[in-house]
């Protein structure tokens, strides 16, 4: 099953009389359960593509189907509802509330969901445990290391049991050891059946995916299946 399909997807930004093409005629598909890395230099269009696929922005032309349906005619509030239910997001800057505890940061998406409040605590606790931070549940985010903050962000992305996780440069603010730990968590989630789309400019990060799409000047330059980087830590599939 194709979770995502685009056909001649384009995005043009208009500033005054100046038009800038961020994406041009991007056609791709992503199956449920894939781990796809999207790479490219600064300005290649990779973040623009993620924003459109994640309903954070709209295409200028072309077609985008998610689970076989188009949603481009829906108003912003309806797109936000779908985004909260179907997608999880992990960003380079973590986007945590520093004075809130790990638990309350992870529970935030549930406030905007249809999940009964009685289920918030157990769902958040499971998500926190899945990224190995149960011992940090009551810590305020400001007291965590960078790697721990990103793991909290992953737990928050998981708490609504999304169909798809978007990770935008998730290791960009981390040292190599913390970055490796974060990528191993994402790889394990994919091994457990999660679909992941990763935006990165780092080759060693992209190697955790099973497929690498390279963008240049808003167009797909290559789309290649790759042999995934092998982890050696116990608990991860070799």
């Amino acid at each position: 099953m194709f979770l995502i399909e685009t056909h001649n997807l384009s995005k043009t930004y208009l500033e005054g009389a100046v038009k800038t093409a961020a994406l041009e005629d991007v056609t791709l598909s992503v199956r449920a359960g894939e781990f796809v890395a999207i790479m490219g230099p600064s300005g290649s269009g990779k973040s623009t593509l993620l924003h459109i696929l994640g309903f954070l922005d709209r295409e200028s032309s072309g077609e985008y189907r998610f689970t076989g349906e188009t949603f481009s005619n829906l108003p912003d509030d309806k797109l936000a509802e779908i985004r909260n239910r179907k997608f999880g997001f992990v960003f380079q800057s973590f986007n945590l509330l520093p004075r809130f505890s790990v638990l309350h940061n992870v529970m935030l998406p549930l406030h905007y969901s249809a999940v009964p409040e009685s289920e918030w605590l157990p769902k958040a606790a499971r998500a926190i445990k899945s990224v190995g931070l149960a011992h940090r549940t009551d810590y305020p985010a400001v007291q965590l290391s960078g790697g721990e903050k990103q793991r909290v962000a992953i737990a928050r992305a998981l708490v609504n049991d999304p169909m798809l996780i978007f990770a935008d440069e998730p290791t960009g603010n981390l040292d190599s050891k913390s970055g490796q730990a974060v990528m191993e968590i994402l790889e394990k989630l994919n091994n457990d059946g999660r679909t992941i789309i990763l935006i990165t400019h780092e080759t060693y990060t992209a190697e955790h995916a099973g497929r690498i799409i390279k963008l240049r000047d808003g167009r797909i330059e290559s789309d290649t299946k790759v042999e995934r980087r092998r982890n050696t830590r116990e608990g991860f599939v070799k």
Side-chain angles (χ1 to χ4, degrees):
M1 169 182 131
F2 286 122
L3 201 59
I4 280 176
E5 298 170 273
T6 74
H7 182 69
N8 292 340
L9 195 73
S10 296
K11 178 67 178 181
T12 301
Y13 293 102
L14 184 63
E15 296 184 12
V18 178
K19 292 183 177 180
T20 302
L23 291 176
E24 294 188 70
D25 297 326
V26 171
T27 297
L28 60 84
S29 57
V30 176
R31 293 184 182 276
E34 279 197 272
F35 190 161
V36 179
I38 300 175
M39 299 187 71
S42 179
S44 62
K46 56 187 186 296
S47 289
T48 299
L49 179 58
L50 180 146
H51 289 165
I52 293 173
L53 298 181
F55 294 157
L56 295 167
D57 199 356
R58 297 175 187 263
E59 67 273 20
S60 300
S61 62
E63 185 178 51
Y64 170 32
R65 290 183 176 272
F66 177 69
T67 61
E69 300 181 60
T70 59
F71 297 91
S72 56
N73 293 326
L74 289 182
D76 289 346
D77 60 336
K78 294 297 183 183
L79 283 180
E81 289 178 14
I82 297 170
R83 186 169 63 239
N84 192 51
R85 286 188 290 110
K86 303 294 186 180
F87 303 149
F89 294 89
V90 182
F91 295 103
Q92 178 177 344
S93 56
F94 316 134
N95 293 339
L96 302 180
L97 296 176
R99 302 296 172 184
F100 277 43
S101 69
V102 167
L103 178 65
H104 284 92
N105 268 287
V106 172
M107 282 199 300
L108 276 175
L110 298 172
H111 287 263
Y112 308 99
S113 73
V115 176
E117 190 170 351
S118 61
E119 297 180 22
W120 291 4
L121 183 58
K123 284 179 72 70
R126 285 195 297 272
I128 293 167
K129 184 178 179 181
S130 74
V131 298
L133 285 179
H135 62 297
R136 293 282 193 260
T137 298
D138 296 321
Y139 277 54
V142 71
Q143 293 184 8
L144 304 178
S145 69
E148 288 173 331
K149 288 176 182 177
Q150 196 60 289
R151 286 154 66 188
V152 174
I154 294 172
R156 183 183 56 195
L158 288 172
V159 75
N160 265 333
D161 194 26
M163 296 181 70
L164 176 60
I165 295 175
F166 293 101
D168 192 356
E169 300 281 7
T171 63
N173 283 336
L174 305 178
D175 59 58
S176 58
K177 183 178 179 180
S178 297
Q180 174 69 11
V182 164
M183 290 310 304
E184 287 180 355
I185 289 172
L186 291 176
E187 188 172 336
K188 184 178 185 299
L189 292 172
N190 177 245
N191 289 335
D192 291 340
R194 301 277 182 181
T195 307
I196 296 174
I197 294 181
L198 167 73
I199 301 295
T200 183
H201 66 278
E202 300 166 330
T203 301
Y204 83 91
T205 301
E207 288 173 349
H208 287 269
R211 176 181 168 199
I212 297 177
I213 297 173
K214 292 185 178 180
L215 296 182
R216 183 173 295 276
D217 299 329
R219 296 178 179 271
I220 293 179
E221 184 178 56
S222 64
D223 184 347
T224 310
K225 290 191 175 182
V226 295
E227 183 176 351
R228 288 168 63 156
R229 183 186 182 121
R230 293 181 177 271
N231 290 320
T232 57
R233 290 171 60 176
E234 184 179 354
F236 294 90
V237 174
K238 305 296 188 291

